[in-house]
Amino acid sequence: MGAKKKSSSRTIICLAYPNDLDNIYAFFCARYKDISFEDFLNMGLTEFNRKLNSIPKDEPLFEIIQSRVINPAKIKSKEERKRWRELKRLNRIPQLYLSTKEIDEILKEGMSNGFKKTK
């Protein structure tokens, strides 16, 4: 999966780590107290994006997302640039490539489990 990507007027976020999903769910639970994990997983993309875009800047999740999309080269302060480079390194999304067969197996397993959280 990719990172948060900005185009002219749209922002797209892709989740790469299992704890990304956990962090977003925890944020949603804190902010929207009556959401079950099942409702969270079945949320429509428009509603999910609307809620995700409401993350305040002081939320740790905001910094994780920001570190994936920020361009440290455009930051003038050396200290701030160094800080964001380190955050970018810590929160980077691994470049994993799966074969079509591996993706099919993951999807089949997910469909048979109803895409429920396993843990």
Side-chain angles (χ1 to χ4, degrees):
M1 295 186 156
K4 188 173 176 184
K5 179 181 177 184
K6 285 193 175 189
S7 62
S8 58
S9 64
R10 300 185 74 127
T11 301
I12 300 168
I13 184 165
C14 296
L15 308 170
Y17 296 116
N19 64 336
D20 284 347
L21 193 60
D22 293 339
N23 287 336
I24 292 171
Y25 178 61
F27 167 74
F28 281 15
C29 285
R31 190 121 196 222
Y32 311 104
K33 302 205 183 306
D34 61 347
I35 188 167
S36 70
F37 190 71
E38 185 174 347
D39 289 341
F40 171 72
L41 291 178
N42 293 316
M43 188 180 303
L45 186 58
T46 302
E47 182 182 0
F48 179 83
N49 281 334
R50 190 176 312 127
K51 288 180 177 182
L52 190 63
N53 287 329
S54 73
I55 297 174
K57 290 183 179 186
D58 62 347
E59 178 70 30
L61 181 59
F62 181 86
E63 191 171 78
I64 291 169
I65 294 169
Q66 188 69 18
S67 71
R68 291 178 180 167
V69 298
I70 198 165
N71 181 354
K74 293 185 177 182
I75 300 172
K76 293 182 182 188
S77 166
K78 278 187 176 183
E79 292 171 12
E80 196 67 13
R81 186 170 47 242
K82 183 178 178 181
R83 176 180 170 268
W84 281 105
R85 279 191 179 133
E86 181 62 14
L87 286 171
K88 194 170 192 78
R89 184 188 68 77
L90 291 171
N91 295 312
R92 75 178 174 262
I93 296 173
Q95 296 300 313
L96 300 176
Y97 298 97
L98 300 175
S99 69
T100 304
K101 184 178 177 182
E102 290 170 308
I103 292 170
D104 286 343
E105 288 300 317
I106 291 168
L107 290 173
K108 284 179 191 173
E109 183 180 326
M111 289 174 65
S112 67
N113 292 332
F115 287 103
K116 299 216 185 290
K117 184 174 180 177
T118 56
K119 278 190 182 179

